[in-house]
Amino acid sequence: MRICLVRNDKMGDMILTLPVVQGLKEINKDYQIDIVCSKKNQKICKYYKSIKKIFLLQNKFYQVLKIISKLRNEDYDYIFTFSPGIISILISIFSKSKKKSLLIFKSRYKNNYMSKFLDKVLGKIFFNQCIIIDRRLTYSQNDSIHQTEIMMELVNKNGLNLNNNAEIKNVFEFKKIDLNSRKLCLIHLSSKWVNRYFSEDNFIDLLENLKNLKIDIVMTTDGTSKKVFYKIFKKYQIITNEELENLNNINNILILDQLNFDNWVSIINSSTYVITPECGCTHISSLFETKLCVIYDADNVPDMIAKEYAPWKKKYTKLFSNNQNLEKELISFIS
């Protein structure tokens, strides 16, 4: 049996898709499962040994045609389109897969009949199976909108057996970094920290109070960090990706700036605690035994986001950005 999954969006989306792969392989070891991925989530796919072939999709026209051509040369029994967007749908339509399935999530912000109208039309015409999730209605009825559960539902609807409780812990071979640290707390320095409820000064106060707990703190960065954390970058020592390799210990608080993927994941794997706004760091952390706290944006339907993108099979602490006791809650999380 040959199966292709189309998941050309963000890293967190791919990590939530991997239990589907794992669940299929645990029941049917002979299944070959290939992935169409994006540049953002390719980095996680290449470490996951249950994936046979990886097709990198970029949004330039000739690159889309190239992927379509490659998939047409593959004799797939099933192709599942889990990612939103017309490009993902067209890739599946023009494949020669015997059975095609499509997952559509309607907007969580607008209760609009026209939401994903073209996707729905194409789904009815070209796909053997199509699940349409009205996020707002499903959430209001307290039914599941979790991405992984819905993807598994679509696979089951095709008559394929899989372990619906599959986990992906301990299947990656990421190393740990020995920094001779006390308990290590990693805080992901996303711009999502700074909002109308929580300022950069509040963040500095949090850091200074956390270090009194006799832990070491590292802050990892992304492309948004320097846009809002002007004081942070002046106040604390910055360690670059190259300098990390020669780092033997941590002096209370460090910024680990622009780490490559391997080092970033390894430092997460080495941490006792991870505190992060909801983003890719959330889902990377869910792969390991680290104690995880996720902060959701109170202005962006936080409970709905949490139910849709909660770390799969991972116990974690959930907080909201408008929590007036956010600092106290985070200190309590560590202590």
Side-chain angles (χ1 to χ4, degrees), residues 7 9 13 81-89 102-125 127 130-136 147 308-309:
R7 189 89 248 203
D9 34 23
D13 299 297
T81 302
F82 293 140
S83 290
I86 296 301
I87 290 177
S88 301
I89 292 174
L102 175 64
L103 178 59
I104 299 172
F105 278 86
K106 294 179 67 176
S107 173
R108 69 175 66 91
Y109 306 106
K110 298 178 181 178
N111 190 8
N112 187 339
Y113 175 77
M114 297 299 291
S115 174
K116 303 295 178 70
F117 178 77
L118 180 58
D119 296 27
K120 290 184 285 187
V121 170
L122 294 175
K124 289 181 179 180
I125 296 174
F127 289 81
C130 180
I131 291 181
I132 301 171
I133 302 297
D134 185 330
R135 284 180 169 113
R136 290 162 59 93
Q147 288 267 331
E308 184 174 347
Y309 293 104

Side-chain angles (χ1 to χ4, degrees), residues 195-215:
N195 49 56
R196 62 194 180 106
Y197 310 107
F198 202 79
S199 68
E200 185 178 11
D201 288 332
N202 293 141
F203 190 84
I204 293 173
D205 288 342
L206 170 65
L207 291 173
E208 294 301 312
N209 285 323
L210 285 176
K211 77 177 185 181
N212 293 330
L213 299 178
K214 296 182 180 180
I215 60 172

Side-chain angles (χ1 to χ4, degrees), residues 7 23-24 43 48 64 75 109 143 168 173 182 197 249 255 260 271 274 335:
R7 189 89 248 203
L24 284 165
K43 58 190 87 174
Y48 193 60
V64 174
D75 188 22
Y109 306 106
D143 292 330
I168 52 172
E173 297 179 354
R182 300 169 291 181
Y197 310 107
N249 56 70
I255 299 174
N260 62 36
S271 300
V274 172
S335 57

